[in-house]
Amino acid sequence: MNEQLLEMNSTEIKKAEPVIVARNLQKTYKMGDVEVHALKGVSFEINRGEIVAIMGPSGSGKSTLMSILGCLDLPTSGEYFLDGEEASGLGDDKLAAIRNRKVGFVFQSFNLLPRATALENVELPMRYANQGDHRKQRAREALEMVGLGNRVNHRPNEMSGGQQQRVAIARALINHPAILMADEPTGNLDSKSGQEILDLIISMNRDQGTTVLIVTHDPGVAAKTQRVIRLRDGELESLS
C-alpha cells in the first residue's frame, strides 16, 4: 500500500512540474527607425498535463509569443525554459533540435505534404530526427489513435478537412513531445468537424496527459481549456 501511495505521489508531482516557464519575455522588432514592442515583459508557467488557451485581439502578441514558446524565434530579452531546458539563448541548430524533440505543432492550414500519403506525412518528424526503428509501425499506430487507421495510404486531397487535421495531430504527437501547440486548429473547419477535432485534442489531454497550448479567437474553444492567458498590446492582461 505504501509503495502504491509513493508511486501515486510521484505521478502527481511529475504532472505538476512546469513544462513551460516564461520570465519577463520581451520581443522588439526594428522596422527602419521604428521599434515595435511585440511583447513587453510577459511571465507565466504552464504545468505538465495542463490544457491552456492563449487569446487576444490582433496585434496583441499571440503569434510572437507562440513563435517563442515553439522555439521558432528567440526573445529579445527574458528567459524561456521548455521541459527544463533553457531555450532563450540557443543558436539556430540547437533551437531546431529542441523544437523537433519537444514541440508538436498543429496549424490552421494543416501543412501536410500534398503528394505524400497520411502515413508518410506522419513519419516526417521521425525522419528529421533520424529515427528509423519501427517508423512505419509507429506512424500507423498514431493514425489509428486519431481514428484514421483505414486512411494510411490516402493523400490530403483524398481526405476531408477534419481528416487532414487528424493527420496533422498524429504527426505532431509522433515523437511524444513535451507540449502540443495548436494554432487555431479548428479555424478552417466546419462546426461539426471543428468540434470533433477539439474533442480529440481534449481527450488526448485527459487520457494521455498531453500538455496542450491552443491559440484561439473562439471563446467556445477557450471555455473547454483549464486556463486562459489573455494578451493585449504585448502585455499579459490576465491569467485565469
Side-chain angles (χ1 to χ4, degrees), residues 117-129 131-132 134-140 143 170-171 174-175:
T117 65
L119 191 72
E120 291 165 343
N121 269 288
V122 174
E123 282 184 90
L124 279 177
M126 289 184 289
R127 289 181 181 273
Y128 295 147
Q131 297 180 16
H134 310 295
R135 192 167 61 204
K136 290 189 181 299
Q137 179 183 339
R138 283 176 56 192
R140 189 179 297 273
L143 285 166
R171 179 185 60 189
I174 194 68
N175 277 343

Side-chain angles (χ1 to χ4, degrees), residues 60-160:
S60 63
K62 296 191 308 297
S63 296
T64 300
L65 180 60
M66 192 72 162
S67 293
I68 292 172
L69 299 182
C71 296
L72 295 166
D73 198 2
L74 293 172
T76 304
S77 63
E79 294 179 312
Y80 172 46
F81 294 86
L82 174 58
D83 198 28
E85 291 188 55
E86 184 172 8
S88 43
L90 298 179
D92 289 344
D93 289 345
K94 290 185 178 180
L95 201 65
I98 193 172
R99 182 171 64 238
N100 191 57
R101 286 187 290 111
K102 294 187 179 293
V103 185
F105 291 100
V106 177
F107 299 99
Q108 180 176 346
S109 56
F110 316 141
N111 287 9
L112 301 178
L113 297 180
R115 296 184 180 180
T117 65
L119 191 72
E120 291 165 343
N121 269 288
V122 174
E123 282 184 90
L124 279 177
M126 289 184 289
R127 289 181 181 273
Y128 295 147
N130 294 318
Q131 297 180 16
D133 295 341
H134 310 295
R135 192 167 61 204
K136 290 189 181 299
Q137 179 183 339
R138 283 176 56 192
R140 189 179 297 273
E141 289 171 351
L143 285 166
E144 290 173 352
M145 180 179 64
V146 299
L148 291 180
N150 61 340
R151 296 278 183 169
V152 293
N153 293 316
H154 287 67
R155 289 177 171 78
N157 65 358
E158 299 172 315
M159 293 182 285
S160 68

Side-chain angles (χ1 to χ4, degrees), residues 20 22 25 27 29 38-39 42 44 46 52-55 60-74 80 82 95 99 103-108 179-185 211-216 229 231:
I20 279 182
L25 292 181
K27 184 66 178 182
Y29 297 100
L39 291 178
V42 174
F44 58 88
I46 295 175
V52 179
I54 295 181
M55 298 191 75
S60 63
K62 296 191 308 297
S63 296
T64 300
L65 180 60
M66 192 72 162
S67 293
I68 292 172
L69 299 182
C71 296
L72 295 166
D73 198 2
L74 293 172
Y80 172 46
L82 174 58
L95 201 65
R99 182 171 64 238
V103 185
F105 291 100
V106 177
F107 299 99
Q108 180 176 346
I179 188 163
L180 175 68
M181 295 190 174
D183 190 358
E184 298 285 359
T211 308
V212 180
L213 186 59
I214 303 177
V215 173
T216 181
I229 296 170
L231 298 177

Side-chain angles (χ1 to χ4, degrees), residues 213-227:
L213 186 59
I214 303 177
V215 173
T216 181
H217 286 94
D218 188 341
V221 172
K224 299 291 183 69
T225 65
Q226 295 168 323
R227 291 197 293 152

